[in-house]
Coordinates of all heavy atoms in Angstrom, one line a residue:
A83 N -9.4 -76.6 -24.1 CA -8.8 -75.2 -24.4 C -8.2 -74.5 -23.3 O -7.2 -73.7 -23.5 CB -10.0 -74.4 -24.9
A84 N -8.6 -74.7 -22.1 CA -8.1 -74.0 -20.8 C -6.6 -74.6 -20.7 O -5.7 -73.8 -20.3 CB -8.9 -74.2 -19.6
E85 N -6.5 -75.8 -20.7 CA -5.1 -76.4 -20.6 C -4.2 -75.9 -21.7 O -3.0 -75.6 -21.4 CB -5.1 -77.9 -20.6 CG -5.8 -78.4 -19.3 CD -4.9 -78.1 -18.0 OE1 -3.7 -78.3 -18.2 OE2 -5.5 -77.8 -17.0
S86 N -4.6 -75.9 -22.9 CA -3.7 -75.4 -23.9 C -3.4 -73.9 -23.9 O -2.3 -73.5 -24.2 CB -4.4 -75.6 -25.3 OG -4.5 -77.1 -25.6
N87 N -4.4 -73.1 -23.4 CA -4.2 -71.7 -23.2 C -3.0 -71.5 -22.2 O -2.1 -70.6 -22.4 CB -5.5 -71.0 -22.7 CG -5.2 -69.6 -22.2 OD1 -5.0 -69.4 -21.1 ND2 -5.3 -68.8 -23.3
K88 N -3.1 -72.3 -21.1 CA -1.9 -72.2 -20.2 C -0.5 -72.5 -20.9 O 0.5 -71.8 -20.6 CB -2.1 -73.3 -19.0 CG -3.2 -72.9 -18.1 CD -3.4 -74.0 -17.0 CE -4.6 -73.8 -16.2 NZ -4.7 -74.9 -15.2
R89 N -0.4 -73.5 -21.7 CA 0.7 -73.9 -22.4 C 1.1 -72.7 -23.4 O 2.3 -72.4 -23.5 CB 0.5 -75.1 -23.1 CG 1.9 -75.7 -24.0 CD 3.1 -75.9 -23.1 NE 2.9 -77.0 -22.3 CZ 3.1 -78.3 -22.7 NH1 3.6 -78.6 -23.9 NH2 2.9 -79.3 -21.7
Y90 N 0.1 -72.1 -24.1 CA 0.5 -71.1 -24.9 C 1.1 -69.8 -24.2 O 2.1 -69.2 -24.7 CB -0.8 -70.6 -25.7 CG -1.4 -71.5 -26.7 CD1 -2.7 -71.5 -27.1 CD2 -0.6 -72.7 -27.2 CE1 -3.2 -72.3 -28.0 CE2 -1.1 -73.5 -28.1 CZ -2.3 -73.4 -28.5 OH -2.9 -74.4 -29.4
R91 N 0.4 -69.5 -23.2 CA 1.0 -68.2 -22.4 C 2.4 -68.7 -21.8 O 3.2 -67.8 -21.7 CB -0.1 -67.9 -21.4 CG -1.2 -67.3 -22.0 CD -2.1 -66.6 -20.9 NE -3.1 -67.7 -20.3 CZ -3.1 -67.8 -18.8 NH1 -2.3 -67.0 -18.1 NH2 -3.9 -68.6 -18.4
Y92 N 2.6 -69.8 -21.4 CA 3.9 -70.4 -20.8 C 4.9 -70.1 -22.1 O 6.1 -69.6 -21.8 CB 3.8 -71.8 -20.5 CG 5.2 -72.4 -20.2 CD1 5.8 -72.1 -19.0 CD2 5.7 -73.3 -21.0 CE1 7.2 -72.6 -18.8 CE2 7.0 -73.9 -20.8 CZ 7.7 -73.7 -19.7 OH 8.9 -74.3 -19.5
L93 N 4.6 -70.5 -23.3 CA 5.5 -70.4 -24.4 C 5.8 -69.0 -24.6 O 7.0 -68.5 -24.9 CB 5.0 -71.2 -25.5 CG 4.9 -72.7 -25.5 CD1 4.1 -73.3 -26.8 CD2 6.4 -73.3 -25.6
I94 N 4.8 -68.0 -24.7 CA 5.0 -66.7 -24.9 C 5.9 -66.1 -23.8 O 6.8 -65.3 -24.2 CB 3.7 -65.9 -25.0 CG1 2.9 -66.4 -26.4 CG2 3.9 -64.5 -25.1 CD1 1.4 -65.9 -26.2
E95 N 5.6 -66.4 -22.6 CA 6.6 -66.0 -21.5 C 7.9 -66.4 -21.5 O 8.9 -65.8 -21.1 CB 5.9 -66.4 -20.1 CG 4.6 -65.6 -19.9 CD 3.8 -66.3 -18.7 OE1 4.4 -67.3 -18.2 OE2 2.8 -65.8 -18.4
S96 N 8.2 -67.6 -22.3 CA 9.6 -68.2 -22.4 C 10.2 -67.7 -23.6 O 11.3 -68.1 -24.0 CB 9.3 -69.7 -22.5 OG 8.8 -70.1 -21.1
G97 N 9.6 -66.7 -24.5 CA 10.4 -66.3 -25.5 C 9.8 -66.7 -27.1 O 10.5 -66.2 -27.9
A98 N 8.8 -67.5 -26.9 CA 8.1 -67.9 -28.3 C 7.7 -66.6 -29.0 O 7.1 -65.9 -28.3 CB 7.2 -69.0 -28.1
T99 N 7.7 -66.5 -30.4 CA 7.4 -65.4 -31.0 C 6.1 -65.7 -31.9 O 5.8 -64.8 -32.7 CB 8.6 -64.8 -31.7 OG1 9.2 -65.7 -32.6 CG2 9.5 -64.1 -30.8
G100 N 5.6 -66.8 -31.8 CA 4.5 -67.2 -32.5 C 3.8 -68.4 -31.9 O 4.4 -69.1 -31.3
L101 N 2.5 -68.6 -32.1 CA 1.8 -69.8 -31.7 C 1.6 -70.8 -32.8 O 1.3 -70.3 -34.0 CB 0.5 -69.4 -30.9 CG 0.6 -68.6 -29.7 CD1 -0.6 -68.1 -29.1 CD2 1.6 -69.3 -28.7
S102 N 1.4 -71.9 -32.5 CA 1.0 -73.0 -33.5 C 0.0 -73.9 -32.8 O 0.5 -74.7 -32.0 CB 2.2 -73.8 -34.2 OG 1.8 -74.5 -35.2
C103 N -1.2 -74.1 -33.3 CA -2.2 -74.8 -32.7 C -2.4 -76.2 -33.3 O -2.5 -76.5 -34.4 CB -3.5 -74.1 -32.9 SG -3.7 -72.4 -32.3
A104 N -2.3 -77.2 -32.4 CA -2.6 -78.5 -32.6 C -4.0 -78.9 -32.3 O -4.4 -78.7 -31.1 CB -1.5 -79.5 -31.9
F105 N -4.7 -79.4 -33.1 CA -6.1 -80.0 -32.9 C -6.2 -81.4 -32.7 O -5.5 -82.1 -33.3 CB -7.1 -79.4 -33.9 CG -7.0 -77.9 -34.0 CD1 -6.3 -77.3 -35.0 CD2 -7.8 -77.0 -33.1 CE1 -6.3 -75.8 -35.2 CE2 -7.7 -75.7 -33.3 CZ -6.9 -75.1 -34.3
D106 N -7.1 -81.8 -31.8 CA -7.5 -83.3 -31.7 C -8.0 -83.9 -33.0 O -8.4 -83.2 -33.9 CB -8.2 -83.6 -30.4 CG -9.6 -83.2 -30.4 OD1 -10.1 -82.6 -31.6 OD2 -10.2 -83.5 -29.5
L107 N -8.0 -85.1 -33.1 CA -8.5 -85.9 -34.4 C -9.9 -85.4 -34.7 O -10.3 -85.2 -35.8 CB -8.3 -87.3 -34.3 CG -6.8 -87.7 -34.6 CD1 -6.6 -89.3 -34.5 CD2 -6.4 -87.3 -36.0
P108 N -10.8 -85.4 -33.6 CA -12.2 -85.3 -34.0 C -12.4 -83.9 -34.6 O -13.1 -83.7 -35.5 CB -12.9 -85.3 -32.6 CG -12.2 -86.3 -31.8 CD -10.7 -86.0 -32.1
T109 N -11.7 -82.8 -34.1 CA -11.5 -81.5 -34.6 C -11.2 -81.5 -36.1 O -11.8 -80.9 -36.9 CB -10.8 -80.5 -33.6 OG1 -11.4 -80.5 -32.4 CG2 -10.9 -79.1 -34.2
Q110 N -10.1 -82.2 -36.3 CA -9.4 -82.2 -37.6 C -10.5 -82.8 -38.8 O -10.3 -82.5 -39.8 CB -8.1 -83.1 -37.5 CG -7.0 -82.4 -36.8 CD -5.7 -83.2 -36.9 OE1 -5.3 -83.5 -37.9 NE2 -5.2 -83.4 -35.7
I111 N -11.3 -83.7 -38.3 CA -12.1 -84.4 -39.3 C -13.7 -83.8 -39.1 O -14.6 -84.4 -39.5 CB -12.0 -85.9 -39.2 CG1 -12.2 -86.5 -37.9 CG2 -10.7 -86.3 -39.9 CD1 -12.3 -88.0 -37.9
G112 N -13.9 -82.7 -38.4 CA -15.2 -82.0 -38.3 C -16.2 -82.7 -37.5 O -17.4 -82.6 -37.8
Y113 N -15.8 -83.4 -36.3 CA -16.8 -83.9 -35.5 C -16.7 -83.3 -34.1 O -15.6 -82.8 -33.6 CB -16.4 -85.4 -35.2 CG -16.8 -86.3 -36.4 CD1 -15.9 -86.9 -37.2 CD2 -18.2 -86.4 -36.7 CE1 -16.1 -87.6 -38.4 CE2 -18.6 -87.3 -38.0 CZ -17.6 -87.8 -38.7 OH -17.8 -88.7 -39.8
D114 N -17.9 -83.2 -33.5 CA -17.8 -82.5 -32.0 C -17.4 -83.7 -31.1 O -17.4 -85.0 -31.4 CB -19.2 -82.0 -31.7 CG -19.7 -80.9 -32.5 OD1 -18.8 -80.1 -32.8 OD2 -20.9 -80.7 -32.7
S115 N -17.1 -83.3 -29.8 CA -16.5 -84.1 -28.9 C -17.6 -85.1 -28.4 O -17.2 -86.2 -28.0 CB -16.0 -83.2 -27.6 OG -15.0 -82.5 -28.1
D116 N -18.9 -84.7 -28.6 CA -20.0 -85.7 -28.1 C -20.5 -86.7 -29.1 O -21.2 -87.4 -28.9 CB -21.1 -84.9 -27.5 CG -21.8 -83.9 -28.6 OD1 -21.3 -83.9 -29.8 OD2 -22.8 -83.2 -28.2
D117 N -19.7 -86.6 -30.3 CA -20.2 -87.5 -31.4 C -19.5 -88.9 -31.0 O -18.4 -89.1 -30.6 CB -19.5 -87.1 -32.7 CG -20.1 -87.9 -33.9 OD1 -19.8 -89.1 -34.0 OD2 -20.8 -87.2 -34.7
P118 N -20.4 -90.0 -31.3 CA -19.8 -91.4 -30.8 C -18.5 -91.6 -31.5 O -17.6 -92.3 -30.8 CB -21.0 -92.4 -31.3 CG -22.2 -91.4 -31.4 CD -21.7 -90.0 -31.7
I119 N -18.1 -91.1 -32.7 CA -17.0 -91.4 -33.3 C -15.8 -90.8 -32.7 O -14.6 -91.2 -32.8 CB -17.0 -90.9 -34.9 CG1 -16.0 -91.7 -35.6 CG2 -16.8 -89.5 -34.9 CD1 -16.1 -91.6 -37.1
S120 N -16.0 -89.8 -31.8 CA -14.9 -89.0 -31.1 C -14.4 -89.9 -29.7 O -13.5 -89.4 -29.2 CB -15.3 -87.6 -30.7 OG -15.7 -86.9 -31.9
E121 N -15.4 -90.7 -29.4 CA -14.9 -91.4 -28.0 C -13.6 -92.0 -28.1 O -13.1 -92.6 -28.8 CB -16.0 -92.5 -27.7 CG -15.8 -93.1 -26.3 CD -16.9 -94.0 -26.0 OE1 -17.9 -94.4 -26.9 OE2 -16.8 -94.8 -25.0
G122 N -12.8 -91.5 -26.8 CA -11.5 -92.0 -26.7 C -10.4 -91.1 -27.4 O -9.2 -91.4 -27.1
E123 N -10.8 -90.2 -28.3 CA -9.9 -89.2 -29.0 C -9.8 -87.9 -28.5 O -9.1 -87.2 -28.9 CB -10.1 -89.5 -30.4 CG -9.7 -90.7 -31.0 CD -8.1 -91.0 -31.0 OE1 -7.4 -90.0 -30.8 OE2 -7.7 -92.1 -31.1
V124 N -10.8 -87.6 -27.7 CA -10.9 -86.0 -27.3 C -9.8 -85.6 -26.6 O -9.4 -86.1 -25.6 CB -12.3 -85.8 -26.5 CG1 -12.3 -84.4 -26.1 CG2 -13.5 -86.3 -27.3
G125 N -9.1 -84.5 -27.1 CA -7.9 -83.9 -26.5 C -6.7 -84.7 -26.4 O -5.7 -84.4 -25.9
K126 N -6.6 -85.9 -27.2 CA -5.6 -86.7 -27.1 C -4.2 -86.3 -28.0 O -3.2 -86.1 -27.4 CB -5.9 -88.1 -27.6 CG -6.7 -88.9 -26.6 CD -6.0 -89.4 -25.3 CE -6.9 -90.0 -24.4 NZ -7.3 -91.4 -24.8
V127 N -4.3 -85.9 -29.1 CA -3.2 -85.4 -29.9 C -3.2 -84.0 -30.3 O -2.4 -83.4 -31.0 CB -3.1 -86.2 -31.3 CG1 -3.1 -87.7 -31.1 CG2 -4.4 -85.9 -32.2
G128 N -4.2 -83.3 -29.6 CA -4.3 -81.7 -29.8 C -5.4 -81.3 -29.0 O -6.1 -82.1 -28.1
V129 N -5.7 -80.0 -29.1 CA -6.8 -79.4 -28.2 C -8.3 -79.7 -29.0 O -8.4 -79.8 -30.2 CB -6.7 -78.0 -28.0 CG1 -6.7 -77.2 -29.5 CG2 -7.6 -77.4 -27.2
A130 N -9.2 -79.9 -28.2 CA -10.6 -80.2 -28.6 C -11.2 -78.8 -28.7 O -11.3 -78.1 -27.8 CB -11.4 -80.9 -27.7
I131 N -11.8 -78.5 -30.0 CA -12.5 -77.3 -30.2 C -13.8 -77.6 -30.9 O -13.8 -78.1 -32.0 CB -11.6 -76.3 -31.1 CG1 -10.3 -75.9 -30.6 CG2 -12.5 -75.0 -31.6 CD1 -10.3 -75.1 -29.4

Side-chain angles (χ1 to χ4, degrees):
E85 286 297 316
S86 293
N87 173 265
K88 291 177 185 176
R89 177 65 63 89
Y90 292 161
R91 288 190 282 125
Y92 169 77
L93 288 169
I94 291 169
E95 290 165 3
S96 300
T99 53
L101 298 176
S102 185
C103 302
F105 299 101
D106 70 359
L107 280 177
T109 302
Q110 291 183 51
I111 53 176
Y113 288 108
D114 289 335
S115 297
D116 60 0
D117 193 292
I119 203 170
S120 302
E121 187 174 354
E123 287 293 341
V124 176
K126 286 291 178 70
V127 300
V129 61
I131 299 293

